[in-house]
Amino acid sequence: MRVSLAKSERSFSAAPGQSLLEAAISAGLALAHSCRSGSCGACRARLLRGQISYPYGPPLGLSPVEQDEGLVLLCQARALCDLQIDVDEIRRPQDVLVKRLPCRIEHATRLAHDVLALYLRLPSAESFAFQPGQYLDVILPAGRRRSFSIASPPHDARLLELHVRRVAGGEFTDRLFVANPEKGLLTIEGPLGDFRYHAPSERGDAAIGPALFVAGGTGYAPINSILRHLIEQRSERAISLYFGARAECDLYAHAHIREILGAAPRLSYQPVLSEASPAWSGRRGLVHAAVLADHPRLEGFDVYACGPPAMIGALRRDFLAHGASPERLYLDSFDYAPEVLARQRNNASTKS
Ligand SMILES: Cc1cc2nc3c(=O)[nH]c(=O)nc-3n(C[C@H](O)[C@H](O)[C@H](O)COP(=O)(O)OP(=O)(O)OC[C@H]3O[C@@H](n4cnc5c(N)ncnc54)[C@H](O)[C@@H]3O)c2cc1C
Ligand code: FES
């Protein structure tokens, strides 16, 4: 099937069953994307002609209204015939310079019972430019991938920092906790994804409006990169950071955030726990609900949110209902690896 882009002369072919995003990337097109699993909405495009299907059902990252308006998610959509779509290609050179590089795990530091900070050293002759908020893929045997956000800021090029949460039984993360991974070698590919910080000046806004940063668990990693970038830039922006976790022991970046509060006078911080002990005197409940309790109307805010798919799905739905602008809602959903997700969906469909 042939897929043509309305705004350019470019087109690509998509095999039956292949996602449109995968087909476009294989054909060398740079299209915005992040989670690749239908949650974040970053790969939205408008379908102008033809028909698509969603083999795993309507994706979470697209509201029924958006579907009625002809929007589709390229990471989930499969072509049923030749298509014409309207989508912008990314043209900034820093967004498209994706590199595959070997690296060494220089240090590994336990940040919490199930979170490890990995510090990766790249070959000294290599540069690795990225935008604060982007992620990289660790390449496993047979080309399988595991995605992790870059927690360090672009100006600190000495070591790349990752915050890795242990997934019980996880092929990649579990083994990092079983034996000391220091000095181990990895192959990484990046930078990837469209989740990144957008300065108000990019939109031509003269005023620097307020921003909400919402992190769930290791969803704090890309937020840390953005915050440290803004501190380096001496940004004057008013930022409210909400960090959601289950219990006190899961607030793995609490002490670190308290330290950076001193360097960022216009940053405020609220940790929010959903399963806190009785001793906890701070906020309780779901992190996105705490944001809405403080800011019931979200017009005028830029929102950056990262975390597990369920949190991102609920946040997207509720924030839009409270006036958030879809163009100012920047979401990063920490999904399973695509091949793991496909396996789970196949298992579920054979059982039903
Ligand atoms: C864009 C992006 C950025 C990400 N950034 C980070 C990050 O900075 N830090 C971080 O800790 N994680 C991050 N993730 C999630 C991370 O990629 C997965 O947790 C990782 O792929 C798990 O790999 P694994 O080999 O250990 O587990 P796998 O072998 O892939 O999975 C084993 C089993 O664990 C379960 N599982 C897999 N992934 C998850 C998950 N995410 N949550 C819950 N259960 C799961 C499934 O049941 C699966 O069958 C990100 C994901 C995406 C898409
Ligand atoms: S990349 Fe398609 S919804 Fe996230």
Side-chain angles (χ1 to χ4, degrees):
M1 265 98 46
R2 205 75 209 150
V3 184
S4 56
L5 270 56
K7 284 190 191 133
S8 67
E9 301 289 294
R10 304 194 71 177
S11 66
F12 60 94
S13 66
Q18 188 182 28
S19 80
L20 297 182
L21 180 67
E22 210 182 302
I25 291 173
S26 308
L29 272 73
L31 299 185
H33 67 282
S34 183
C35 69
R36 289 178 286 175
S37 59
S39 311
C40 71
C43 64
R44 256 191 231 109
R46 191 172 295 279
L47 180 63
L48 300 177
R49 190 160 39 79
Q51 276 198 312
I52 56 109
S53 69
Y54 290 120
Y56 307 118
L60 281 177
L62 209 55
S63 69
V65 175
E66 289 171 320
Q67 291 194 43
D68 291 348
E69 286 172 353
L71 294 176
V72 295
L73 291 186
L74 298 179
C75 71
Q76 299 301 297
R78 270 59 173 174
L80 293 176
C81 56
D82 287 350
L83 307 175
Q84 188 184 35
I85 57 173
D86 185 9
V87 65
D88 289 322
E89 283 184 74
I90 304 169
R91 295 192 187 281
R92 292 174 300 269
Q94 66 267 37
D95 287 335
V96 292
L97 202 58
V98 175
K99 293 183 174 181
R100 187 175 281 216
L101 297 171
C103 63
R104 190 158 50 94
I105 303 176
E106 184 90 357
H107 310 295
T109 309
R110 196 61 87 94
L111 300 177
H113 62 108
D114 64 348
V115 180
L116 207 54
L118 293 187
Y119 297 90
L120 309 182
R121 184 171 294 285
L122 296 171
S124 51
E126 288 290 350
S127 62
F128 188 78
F130 62 97
Q131 301 278 308
Q134 287 192 291
Y135 70 94
L136 53 77
D137 275 352
V138 174
I139 309 296
L140 303 184
R144 289 166 306 113
R145 292 156 178 270
R146 298 294 186 262
S147 306
F148 295 94
S149 300
I150 305 167
S152 41
H155 65 267
D156 187 355
R158 290 164 304 152
L159 295 171
L160 286 179
E161 179 181 339
L162 308 180
H163 298 170
V164 178
R165 187 177 72 83
R166 182 179 201 169
V167 171
E171 180 181 345
F172 176 68
T173 62
D174 213 13
R175 96 189 134 121
L176 295 172
F177 288 77
V178 173
N180 182 355
E182 284 182 3
K183 311 300 169 218
L185 297 177
L186 296 176
T187 301
I188 61 160
E189 191 175 291
L192 298 168
D194 198 43
F195 182 79
R196 63 181 183 89
Y197 181 67
H198 299 257
S201 55
E202 276 182 36
R203 285 194 303 260
D205 293 359
I208 305 177
L212 293 168
F213 287 5
V214 191
T218 44
Y220 176 68
I223 302 263
N224 187 58
S225 175
I226 295 174
L227 277 177
R228 288 187 52 202
H229 169 73
L230 292 178
I231 291 170
E232 172 75 10
Q233 305 267 304
R234 302 192 201 297
S235 166
E236 299 275 299
R237 193 159 209 192
I239 295 169
S240 306
L241 166 65
Y242 292 79
F243 184 7
R246 281 204 184 126
E248 288 90 326
C249 62
D250 298 314
L251 284 174
Y252 78 89
H254 195 54
H256 171 73
I257 296 169
R258 289 203 170 285
E259 263 173 44
I260 62 174
L261 281 173
R266 303 204 67 205
L267 173 68
S268 68
Y269 167 51
Q270 293 281 344
V272 184
L273 297 182
S274 59
E275 295 170 22
S277 75
W280 174 250
S281 58
R283 306 284 292 268
R284 289 170 185 269
L286 295 179
V287 64
H288 80 286
V291 178
L292 289 176
D294 294 347
H295 303 282
R297 296 307 314 166
L298 295 173
E299 289 89 353
F301 281 97
D302 282 0
V303 179
Y304 292 82
C306 311
M311 172 195 133
I312 295 299
L315 180 148
R316 185 168 197 281
R317 182 195 61 218
D318 293 352
F319 279 26
L320 288 174
H322 284 253
S325 151
E327 294 78 41
R328 293 178 175 213
L329 205 47
Y330 305 110
L331 305 178
D332 206 10
S333 177
F334 281 8
D335 273 285
Y336 299 2
E339 114 259 350
V340 174
L341 204 60
R343 208 167 52 225
Q344 288 185 332
R345 284 164 167 171
N346 287 340
N347 288 346
S349 62
T350 44
K351 274 186 200 148
S352 61

